[in-house]
Amino acid sequence: LSTELALFEHCGEVSRTPLSPDSPQIRRVPYLFDIMVLLQLFSAELVPHLMVRAPLKELVCSRGNLLRGASVEDLVGVFITERGSSYALPQLGRLTERLLCLLCQNRGRQRRELVHILEDCDTLFASLCDRGPRLRQALDYVARIRLFVVEYFLLLGFECELYSAEECDSVYFNLYQVKCELLSNHAPIPIDVPSRELHTALNDIALNLSRALFETLSALQDFNVLPKKTFELGTRKSWYTLRFGKLYGTTLPALTMSAEQERTLLQGYADYESYVSARDMLRTGNSAGLELDAPDLELEARESMRLFARLQTSRKGFLQAQKQCGVASSAASGDAVRRHVRSLLRCCVTNALNVRKLC
């Protein structure tokens, strides 16, 4: 166990600021998302045996060795710097500890139980909304945890081989929307986080890679290079809602929150309407500048030019993600993270080359 856990040695530490005069002095605690990412890599690479998973849970509970003697509430406190939000720390700590323990389970069980974590996030979010805008940081933290869970849930679907080839475009669309939501509507990573550059690069890689894969698969389906999903029972909307409904959730009532807070914290994303809209925009947005109305241009040639333009756009996303892999590799300090970045780089390079062949 000690040998396998060596990949946790590079977890950085950040400041835990006291919220009241009765709180302990400023001290250094591990950065929560460092631990969660490394737990992901640990279970993915090593597939730990039951005899390893059991003590691993003890190490990530409050005062556990992997938390370097800190409590889970201390880790959450890094994100809660306003006294008004300190009321929610115990609830946020319980949610976080449950998630950390779940990440010590096998991959299949993780995916099944992540749905319940999402439900807990929605329940806690609604409860905190009742107390108004003074809990804004707590609300932002719950939303941040929820986005992490949604992304991980979608990725585990690939590992557990739960997706058909025809629906992968919608999965990548959801992954792209999760990263857009995280990067645009939530507080940035604290300045004093040692792994700040690494997390920023990994988010950029996921954003560009998922967008490029969504654009590529959508183009190949629209031009019948790949088969489209058929629906023998129900409609495409009912299938999408059944598949992803729990992930994007529903818009909660604003209650005592201002219109601006409702827009930034409660707005839905990645729902069926936004998915259809994104597909429609791809169909109409990549033909600008192409002379498709020439009378001597055959229909087949026009279609080929449209497909070429869309694939060229998606290839730029793969190349952008490839550049970010270099940034992430230079910022990574552990072998496990470097191996993960190399796997992302192989994915970017392989897909960029395959799209170039299609062009």
Side-chain angles (χ1 to χ4, degrees):
L1 176 62
S2 58
T3 302
E4 292 178 341
L5 292 178
L7 61 89
F8 287 94
E9 292 178 357
H10 301 282
C11 256
E13 293 183 333
V14 291
S15 298
R16 165 59 159 107
T17 307
L19 296 177
S20 69
D22 298 330
S23 299
Q25 296 298 315
I26 295 178
R27 55 198 184 89
R28 308 290 289 178
V29 298
Y31 183 56
L32 174 63
F33 285 91
D34 281 352
I35 295 175
M36 293 201 295
V37 168
L38 290 174
L39 282 171
Q40 281 182 266
L41 299 180
F42 180 74
S43 60
E45 283 193 11
L46 303 174
V47 193
H49 186 270
L50 175 62
M51 297 301 292
V52 174
R53 295 198 301 266
L56 184 59
K57 288 184 183 179
E58 299 296 325
L59 298 178
V60 297
C61 291
S62 287
R63 312 301 175 187
N65 288 348
L66 289 182
L67 306 192
R68 298 178 186 168
S71 68
V72 174
E73 286 187 21
D74 287 332
L75 271 64
V76 177
V78 170
F79 302 88
I80 310 297
T81 59
E82 297 176 354
R83 294 184 183 180
S85 294
S86 60
Y87 145 82
L89 273 178
Q91 295 169 284
L92 300 178
R94 287 192 292 271
L95 174 69
T96 305
E97 185 162 353
R98 185 181 176 192
L99 177 57
L100 288 174
C101 290
L102 177 59
L103 294 176
C104 302
Q105 300 288 347
N106 64 65
R107 311 288 268 178
R109 185 169 183 179
Q110 285 180 24
R111 195 174 195 275
R112 292 193 299 271
E113 294 296 323
L114 282 174
V115 175
H116 301 303
I117 298 289
L118 287 175
E119 293 171 349
D120 290 345
C121 287
D122 292 339
T123 301
L124 181 56
F125 198 95
S127 173
L128 295 176
C129 279
D130 287 337
R131 297 184 175 270
R134 64 191 180 90
L135 292 178
R136 180 178 179 84
Q137 286 187 334
L139 290 167
D140 184 80
Y141 177 80
V142 175
R144 192 188 292 260
I145 290 292
R146 194 183 194 283
L147 290 171
F148 173 89
V149 172
V150 170
E151 179 185 7
Y152 191 36
F153 179 87
L154 291 168
L155 292 175
L156 283 176
F158 288 108
E159 296 189 25
C160 298
E161 299 180 352
L162 300 178
Y163 304 130
S164 64
E166 294 85 357
E167 63 183 338
C168 284
D169 72 299
S170 56
V171 179
Y172 289 121
F173 170 76
N174 275 264
L175 285 169
Y176 171 64
Q177 290 296 316
V178 164
K179 286 305 179 185
C180 287
E181 177 74 8
L182 175 64
L183 296 175
S184 61
N185 288 336
H186 296 279
I189 300 170
I191 296 295
D192 64 341
V193 175
S195 56
R196 182 172 184 262
E197 185 179 4
L198 173 63
H199 284 285
T200 301
L202 289 176
N203 284 332
D204 288 339
I205 293 170
L207 178 76
N208 288 295
L209 189 55
S210 56
R211 182 189 64 194
L213 287 166
F214 168 61
E215 292 175 347
T216 301
L217 293 174
S218 298
L220 295 178
Q221 287 180 346
D222 288 344
F223 290 91
N224 299 316
V225 179
L226 291 178
K228 299 179 181 178
K229 189 169 182 63
T230 57
F231 305 93
E232 298 179 1
L233 297 174
T235 63
R236 187 178 187 86
K237 182 175 183 179
S238 62
W239 159 80
Y240 188 94
T241 303
L242 183 65
R243 180 59 110 174
F244 303 108
K246 284 186 176 294
L247 304 185
Y248 60 75
T250 56
T251 302
L252 300 171
L255 300 174
T256 57
M257 301 184 72
S258 67
E260 177 65 17
Q261 289 164 337
E262 179 183 5
R263 186 186 68 81
T264 58
L265 289 175
L266 303 178
Q267 189 177 44
Y269 58 92
D271 55 10
Y272 178 72
E273 286 72 21
S274 62
Y275 169 68
V276 172
S277 176
R279 292 283 302 241
D280 290 342
M281 287 181 64
L282 289 176
R283 292 189 187 99
T284 59
N286 290 280
S287 301
L290 298 179
E291 298 180 359
L292 301 177
D293 298 327
D296 57 340
L297 200 60
E298 297 293 337
L299 177 61
E300 184 176 347
R302 295 177 188 176
E303 294 296 288
S304 296
M305 291 178 66
R306 290 192 178 98
L307 176 59
F308 173 80
R310 291 180 61 174
L311 291 178
Q312 284 290 85
T313 301
S314 67
R315 185 170 179 268
K316 292 178 182 178
F318 291 124
L319 296 177
Q320 184 63 34
Q322 183 177 331
K323 292 179 182 179
Q324 291 299 324
C325 286
V327 177
S329 181
S330 62
S333 57
D335 291 338
V337 178
R338 289 196 185 97
R339 287 193 296 271
H340 175 59
V341 173
R342 284 197 295 269
S343 68
L344 292 173
L345 178 59
R346 284 194 296 271
C347 179
C348 296
V349 173
T350 301
N351 281 286
L353 290 174
N354 287 337
V355 170
R356 185 177 182 180
K357 291 177 183 177
L358 289 171
C359 293

